[in-house]
Every structure is written in C-alpha cells, then in structure tokens.
C-alpha cells in the first residue's frame, strides 16, 4: 500500500515537472503501463480490455453465445476467438492499405496515431504474448492535455516527425566505412559457434543485437551470455580517453519463435529498436563527455545496413571485405521481390500461431461457424505487396520505416493470419517507403543454404562440409547451416576470415 502511494506521488511529481517544462501539448513520456493481455485474446491498452468479437466483460471473460463463431472448434484446437475476429477485418477497417479510407495517410500526430493504433488492436486480434511483446517494443505511452484533462495516448516510439535519428554520410571510402548492424537470432546458446561467429564479425564500431528464443531463455544461460558479451566488449574496446556505451546487447524480453508465423518478423523489427537506441546512446554519451568539442558527436554516425544472422550462419568473407562490399553499394537494399500473385494461396487462407507452428483453419470450419471472410485479401492489396526470400540486408531508412510508419505496422499486423509472413513483410512495406525511388534494390541476397544435398538423409541435408567450402561462388557473403566447429575453423583458415 505504501509503495503504491509512493508511486502515485512520484507519478504526480513527474507529471508536474513535465507540465511546467513543456510548452507543447505533450505532458510526459512515462511508459508506466505496459500493455497486458486480457482473456480470450483481448488486450489491455488503457487499463480497460479491448475484447475479441463475441467476448465481453472486464477481462473479456464473458462469451456471447448468440455468436455462432464463439462455439467453433477445430480438431484439437479451441479456436473461437481466432475464427470470430476476422468479422472485424474489413477493407473499411484498414489504415490506407487499400488507400480507400478516410484516415489521412500523412497525419502523423499523436492523437491520430493513437486512434489508428486502437483501431488496429480492434481489428487484427486475437493477441498472444508475442504480439504484446511487439507492441511493448514499438509503442510508447504519453499523456496529452485535452480540454483541461489528461488523456493517455499511444504512439510509435520511433516517430519520424519528432525523433530524428543521426544521419549517415552519403560518401563511403576505404578509410571511412560506416558501421553495420547485426542481428543474431539463436534458438539456444551454442557458445563455441557463437564466439566463433562474433570473433569474425565483431568490431567496436558496429552494433549487435542478440535474440535468444524465449523457449530457451533461462536465467543461467542469459547470465553466461551477458558475461561473455561483456567480456568481449571490454577486451575489444579501442583505446581512447572516453568510454562508449555498449554496442552489443541481448533482447530483454525475447519472443517465442514459431516457424512460419509472424513471431520471426517480430524478433527482427523489435531488434531495430535496440539498434537505433544504441547509436543514440553513443552519440549522447560523446556529446556529454565533450560538450565543447562539437565535432566529436559527428564521429558517431548511423549504421548503414542491417544484417540478420542465425546461430549457424557463417560469413564467407572477412569483416573487412564485408564492409568494403557494403561500402561500394552503399545505397543498395538486398531483398528478393516477386509479385504476390504467385503465392495468393497464402493470403486466401486464415492461419494462426498455435504456440509451436502455424495451423491453417479449414475453410469448412470457417464457413460453418459464421466466422466472417476467410483470408486477408479484403484487408491486404496483393498488388502492393510481394514475396521473396526471408534473407535480406536492408538500409537503415527501411528499417526505420518499419518501426516509425504506422502503415508498416499495419502491414505487419495484416499479415498475422497469412503463412510465412517473413517472406512477404519486407516486400510489402516498400509500398509506402519514401526512399523507394532513390535507393537501389538487388534481388541477390548473397546467402546460400545447401538444400539439395543428401536428400535421402534429412538429418544431414543442410549441413555444410569442408569440401563445400572449396567451391563457393565468389559473390557469396554468408553460408548457412555450418554445424561443425572443424568446418568453421577450416573456413577461417581457407577464406582468411580473420584478416
Ligand atoms: C532474418 O529475419 C527474418 C525475419 O524477418 C527471419 O525469418 C530470417 O530467417 C532471419 N534470418 C536470416 C539468416 O536471414
Ligand atoms: C520522414 O519524414 C520526412 C518528412 O517529414 C520524409 O521526407 C522522410 O522521407 C521520412 N523518412 C522515413 C524513413 O519515413
Ligand atoms: C467502417 C468500420 O469502421 N467498420 C468496422 C471496423 O471495426 C469495428 C470494430 O472494431 C466495427 O465496429 C466497425 O463497424
């Protein structure tokens, strides 16, 4: 009780301070209310639950039995809310996806963002822990003053209009190559392969986010990893008078990675928030430590590209060569992009993340239970999307666009019930991307998996072996599924990866 009173007092003091110090309408930026789940796929945004279609009550615990869809079952899964909620998803409920709504495309004000976010939460549920984790990464809660009263509003934490990020010089040469950002996604911690990979790609000037799957996120493992990461950071720090904040971090609240579902994209876009924050921290810290030296802050520039890797991916070029490659193609985004029409089937069905993998609801179940319209085509215009490989290397503006443009967020959510959205999300956010015409786009992602080997023996099907290394194509940057340490060592030696 005492602590609650103290918290309230603190809140009041903080509100008071921000009241008196701001001259615009924003009163504070306190994220005191993390978004929580309610029952039956509902979500708690403002201290009140927003429930799925067919559910109501303070915690969404009440079922409206008059709605047939709330009774639906599908083999062993009880899919009531999943099935019902597509009743809410109509073209009229989409933010400019089909560009036919009255929601202004360019209005990026906090109030409008708040309305759009609330409407998206109403339209694209039901929600699970992964969804909520994503919202908590990308949204922020503010209080604005309206008619003399405080009102809670949600908006994107990275807002293009207000939160300017450091720029990247447009020229890149051999003596001045920009930093890179790496995301490393691990199913579990294999210390040897992780350290081998970092040994090759780590440099104090680059940025690294590590995501360990929530299912294997155990305290002891996390402590070990944090120790290892700290050790790496300290041992490789460049000798300079001032200490930069960390350039390598573990994702605090990880996602559960379920194959074929949106969770994989969540992991990546949530990682962007860490990567942008780390640049900001370094810049601010340099500014503080040397405020009379204005040019110091310019030594911290934006990273140019995101490269995401899995634990058993191996570079086939040294970091030095990788930097040079990116540098000589500085304006290029590497994304494979084909028209959506070839994979329309993925948009015609309604699939859902049942906690382990993706399950597609039978059309018959959908129709006989009055679950609304199947698929996503009423909310997603295939013409404006696309698909391709899930591997990509993208410029920082596109990564920023993914977390700072409300339409990118809606594109993501509207893919929630399609299968393998990591193969269509990046192609889809290009539709509203302001730099589309000014940047170059290459289909070639410069990564390889040996799919076709040993087809009869599935356990060895993708495993890279030493002799594979002798015949790599010169343009290759990464090879996947390198499970054996002696193959990694062979690569390091043969391909001069530490030079
Ligand atoms: C990168 O991120 C995507 C999700 O956007 C994921 O599906 C993919 O497998 C990741 N890994 C690699 C190596 O590209
Ligand atoms: C941010 O907004 C400005 C206009 O305010 C626009 O020119 C720019 O392209 C936007 N950037 C991104 C990445 O959306
Ligand atoms: C046009 C419109 O707003 N349609 C629906 C959008 O979703 C809500 C529920 O979240 C419905 O009540 C609206 O009718």
């Amino acid at each position: 009780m005492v602590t609650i009173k103290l918290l309230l007092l603190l809140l009041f003091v903080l509100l008071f301070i921000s009241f008196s110090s701001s001259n615009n309408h924003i009163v504070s930026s306190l994220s005191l209310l993390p978004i929580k789940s309610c029952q039956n796929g509902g979500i708690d945004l403002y201290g009140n639950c927003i429930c799925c279609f067919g559910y109501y009550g303070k915690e969404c615990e009440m079922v409206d039995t008059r709605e047939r869809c709330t009774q639906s079952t599908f083999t062993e899964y009880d899919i009531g809310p999943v099935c019902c909620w597509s009743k809410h998803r109509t073209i009229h409920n989409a933010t400019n996806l089909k560009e036919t709504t009255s929601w202004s495309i360019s209005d990026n004000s906090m109030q409008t963002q708040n309305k759009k976010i609330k409407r998206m939460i109403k339209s694209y549920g039901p929600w699970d822990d992964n969804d909520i984790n994503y919202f908590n990464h990308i949204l922020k809660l503010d209080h604005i003053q309206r008619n003399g009263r405080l009102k809670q509003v949600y908006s994107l934490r990275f807002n293009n209009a207000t939160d300017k990020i450091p720029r990247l010089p447009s020229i890149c040469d051999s003596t001045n190559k920009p930093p890179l950002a790496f995301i490393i996604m691990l199913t579990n911690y294999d210390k040897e392969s992780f350290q081998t990979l970092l040994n090759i790609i780590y440099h104090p000037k680059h940025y690294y986010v590590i995501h360990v799957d929530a299912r294997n996120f155990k305290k002891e493992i996390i402590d070990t990893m944090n120790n290892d990461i700290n050790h790496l950071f300290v041992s490789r720090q460049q000798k300079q008078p001032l200490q930069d904040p960390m350039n390598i971090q573990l994702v605090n609240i990880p996602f559960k990675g379920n194959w074929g579902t949106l969770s994989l994209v969540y992991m990546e876009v949530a990682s962007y928030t860490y990567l942008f924050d780390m640049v900001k921290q370094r810049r601010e810290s340099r500014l503080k430590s040397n405020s009379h030296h204005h040019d110091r802050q310019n030594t911290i520039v934006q990273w140019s590209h995101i490269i995401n890797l899995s634990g058993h991916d191996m570079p086939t070029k040294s970091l030095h060569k990788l930097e040079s490659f990116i540098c000589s193609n500085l304006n290029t985004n590497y994304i494979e992009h084909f028209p959506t029409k070839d994979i329309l089937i993925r948009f015609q069905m309604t699939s859902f993340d049942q906690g382990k993998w993706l399950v597609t609801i039978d059309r018959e179940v959908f129709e006989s239970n009055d679950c609304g319209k199947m698929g996503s085509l009423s909310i997603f215009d295939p013409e404006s999307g696309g698909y391709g490989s899930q591997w990509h290397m993208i410029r920082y503006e596109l990564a920023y666009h993914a977390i700072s443009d409300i339409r990118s967020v809606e594109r993501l959510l509207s893919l929630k019930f399609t299968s393998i959205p990591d193969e269509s999300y990046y192609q889809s956010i290009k539709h509203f991307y302001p730099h589309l015409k000014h940047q170059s786009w290459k289909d070639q992602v410069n990564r390889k998996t040996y799919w076709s080997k040993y087809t009869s023996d599935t356990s060895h099907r993708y495993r890279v072996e030493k002799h594979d290394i002798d015949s790599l194509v010169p343009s290759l940057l990464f090879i996947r599924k390198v499970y054996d340490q002696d193959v990694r060592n062979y690569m390091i030696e043969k391909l001069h990866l530490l030079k």
Side-chain angles (χ1 to χ4, degrees), residues 51-55 64-72 80-93 122-126 350 365-375 378-379 417:
C51 303
C52 290
F53 186 92
Y55 293 83
D64 183 351
T65 46
R66 288 166 306 175
E67 288 293 341
R68 196 140 47 96
C69 57
T70 59
Q71 316 293 310
S72 67
V82 183
C83 183
C84 275
W85 246 23
S86 46
K87 289 195 145 178
H88 274 332
R89 291 192 278 274
T90 72
I91 178 171
H92 300 291
N93 266 320
K122 279 190 172 177
S123 309
Y124 296 105
T350 295
V365 173
F366 221 85
E367 282 163 5
S368 64
N369 290 293
D370 188 23
C371 290
K373 218 173 159 182
M374 197 166 189
S378 58
I379 41 150
F417 298 97

Side-chain angles (χ1 to χ4, degrees), residues 21 229 276 395 426:
S21 64
I229 286 168
F276 284 112
R395 284 269 306 189
Y426 290 89

Side-chain angles (χ1 to χ4, degrees), residues 160 397 400-401 434-435:
N160 187 27
E397 295 97 330
Y400 199 71
H401 179 66
H435 305 287

Side-chain angles (χ1 to χ4, degrees), residues 160-161 164 167 396-398 400-401 404-405 432-435:
N160 187 27
K164 292 268 178 276
R167 296 258 136 220
Y396 76 95
E397 295 97 330
L398 184 59
Y400 199 71
H401 179 66
S404 70
D405 188 315
F432 292 110
Y433 182 50
H435 305 287

